[in-house]
Amino acid sequence: MKPAIDFYFDFSSPYSYIASEWVGAVAARHGRLVNWRAILLGASFQVTGLRPPAEFPLKRDYLMRDVARSAAFAGVPLRMPEAFPIATQNAARVFWWLHAQEPQRAVDWARAALRAYFTRGVNLSEPQALKALCAEQGLDAQAAEAAWNDPQWKAALKAANEAAIAVGVFGAPYFVIDGEPFWGNDRQAQIEAWLNSGPPRGLE
Amino acid sequence: MKPAIDFYFDFSSPYSYIASEWVGAVAARHGRLVNWRAILLGASFQVTGLRPPAEFPLKRDYLMRDVARSAAFAGVPLRMPEAFPIATQNAARVFWWLHAQEPQRAVDWARAALRAYFTRGVNLSEPQALKALCAEQGLDAQAAEAAWNDPQWKAALKAANEAAIAVGVFGAPYFVIDGEPFWGNDRQAQIEAWLNSGPPRGLE
């Protein structure tokens, strides 16, 4: 088995959502597994001094259009939520709580939560909405709420953020394949080419 | 004839260089002309509050790798110059000076200057190097130097920057096709799809 693809995502990142819809299938076509890693981009921003692109009006306007267009070109349903961006630490802690039990359950949660937020506007930052989503996904909502308030899963998310920063993750989605970093949903074509035949000719 | 493609570029932008190598051919395949527009990204950054990505160490490291990889995947020769980024107002003023005479001469200059900087490290910010490059390209180097010091061509570049900002240009390369904005060399695939068949299904 070839090395797995590391896939870093933030629950409030629309490009992460689009990528979450294709990364599994692309990896599978090339005999790779995917290590899903929920992070908080805000933690990276604090370290790097970068700021969320949506803070810049001109760039925000463009990005909203580009997100809609990129989703349409990818055939991924998307409706930008009215509340955006939102705090996603609770959704991410649920991810790591499930991950410790069974990684596939965490992946299923990630895909469901990203879809809920970016197609139905389910506000992942609101405890009641998040518990309802947990229940809808067959999870124990009370246990999930206990988990996102538990220092153990707060620490697990913090460790995931720190590990991501150590690798150089400054944006999302962010992929590492065979040690090579790829930033952005728009690197899908390069990722597929890399998985097919490795580095392009002329790249040292 | 279908509407031309507006192509905004900065002489110090490696992604602009890569795009300059394909934009003409892509446009021609779809029966479009290209309006080349030399700008100074710094002017946009001042207005938007954005900062050059290379100012952020983590992002800079990634971008240097991504530039090399993107050039290799595109089959475009590229060697990052030791002096980077550089001031490019003189090269841009030469562009607008030539553009007023004959737009195609300005395009030839843009392609040659981008190639010189990004394959041979010719430092476009140094008057002597810039004059030598002008001479190499069959231009009157003395006249070019007079042009980049002339208030007329300083004003022309300033007007080009202001027009770009009015359109929403906050990065480079930046394309506008049928009123639709595309930012980045990495939007080539979307641009080709758009030129082939217009907006993707589902995009309002």
Side-chain angles (χ1 to χ4, degrees):
Chain A
M1 191 82 182
K2 291 172 181 168
I5 296 172
D6 291 328
F7 170 57
Y8 299 87
F9 65 97
D10 181 304
F11 280 100
S12 189
S13 154
Y15 294 115
S16 290
Y17 160 60
I18 300 172
S20 78
E21 292 282 321
W22 58 257
V23 67
V26 166
R29 277 205 296 279
H30 297 90
R32 307 268 191 147
L33 296 176
V34 180
N35 290 330
W36 291 56
R37 302 196 175 286
I39 59 163
L40 299 182
L41 264 188
S44 290
F45 291 150
Q46 282 181 354
V47 170
T48 57
L50 287 159
R51 287 162 58 196
E55 282 187 12
F56 303 91
L58 215 56
K59 195 167 183 178
R60 181 187 169 106
D61 289 348
Y62 172 81
L63 290 179
M64 290 302 99
R65 178 64 180 174
D66 186 63
V67 161
R69 188 175 62 217
S70 296
F73 270 124
V76 170
L78 181 144
R79 197 185 70 198
M80 275 305 290
E82 288 182 24
F84 174 80
I86 56 170
T88 56
Q89 68 270 26
N90 290 344
R93 289 171 191 154
V94 170
F95 175 91
W96 288 109
W97 167 65
L98 292 170
H99 195 272
Q101 299 167 39
E102 166 61 51
Q104 186 55 47
R105 294 184 68 195
V107 172
D108 293 343
W109 164 251
R111 295 200 58 182
L114 285 162
R115 274 192 193 176
Y117 181 46
F118 285 108
T119 66
R120 294 186 279 137
V122 173
N123 189 330
L124 308 179
S125 73
E126 291 176 357
Q128 287 312 316
L130 196 57
K131 284 173 71 175
L133 183 65
C134 286
E136 187 189 302
Q137 296 301 315
L139 303 176
D140 179 334
Q142 297 296 336
E145 184 178 35
W148 79 59
N149 286 315
D150 184 332
Q152 179 180 0
W153 305 113
K154 293 183 180 182
L157 175 57
K158 192 158 180 283
N161 289 335
E162 286 166 0
I165 291 165
V167 167
V169 176
F170 60 87
Y174 197 95
F175 311 82
V176 181
I177 305 175
D178 308 331
E180 184 77 10
F182 297 86
W183 169 47
N185 174 65
D186 47 22
R187 287 298 173 275
Q188 181 181 355
Q190 288 194 10
I191 287 170
E192 297 222 38
W194 187 283
L195 291 172
N196 265 322
S197 43
R201 209 154 61 103
L203 184 69
E204 284 166 14
Chain B
M1 191 81 182
K2 291 172 181 168
I5 295 171
D6 291 328
F7 171 57
Y8 299 86
F9 65 97
D10 181 303
F11 280 100
S12 190
S13 154
Y15 294 114
S16 291
Y17 160 60
I18 300 172
S20 78
E21 292 281 322
W22 58 256
V23 67
V26 166
R29 276 205 298 278
H30 297 90
R32 307 269 191 146
L33 296 175
V34 180
N35 290 330
W36 291 56
R37 303 197 175 283
I39 58 163
L40 299 182
L41 263 188
S44 291
F45 290 150
Q46 282 182 354
V47 170
T48 57
L50 287 159
R51 287 162 58 197
E55 282 187 11
F56 302 90
L58 215 57
K59 194 166 184 179
R60 181 186 170 106
D61 290 349
Y62 172 80
L63 290 179
M64 290 302 98
R65 178 65 180 174
D66 186 63
V67 161
R69 188 176 61 217
S70 296
F73 270 124
V76 170
L78 181 145
R79 197 184 70 198
M80 275 306 289
E82 287 182 24
F84 173 81
I86 56 170
T88 55
Q89 68 271 28
N90 290 345
R93 290 171 190 154
V94 170
F95 174 90
W96 289 109
W97 168 64
L98 293 169
H99 194 272
Q101 299 166 40
E102 167 60 51
Q104 186 56 45
R105 293 185 70 196
V107 172
D108 293 343
W109 164 250
R111 296 200 58 182
L114 285 163
R115 274 192 193 176
Y117 181 45
F118 286 108
T119 66
R120 294 186 278 136
V122 174
N123 189 330
L124 308 178
S125 73
E126 291 176 358
Q128 288 311 314
L130 196 57
K131 284 173 71 175
L133 183 65
C134 286
E136 187 189 301
Q137 296 301 315
L139 303 175
D140 179 335
Q142 298 295 336
E145 185 178 33
W148 79 59
N149 286 315
D150 184 331
Q152 180 180 359
W153 306 112
K154 292 183 179 182
L157 175 57
K158 192 159 179 286
N161 289 336
E162 286 166 1
I165 291 165
V167 167
V169 177
F170 60 87
Y174 198 96
F175 312 82
V176 180
I177 305 174
D178 308 330
E180 183 78 7
F182 297 86
W183 169 47
N185 173 65
D186 47 22
R187 287 296 173 276
Q188 182 181 355
Q190 289 195 10
I191 287 170
E192 298 222 36
W194 188 282
L195 292 171
N196 265 322
S197 42
R201 208 153 61 101
L203 184 69
E204 285 165 14

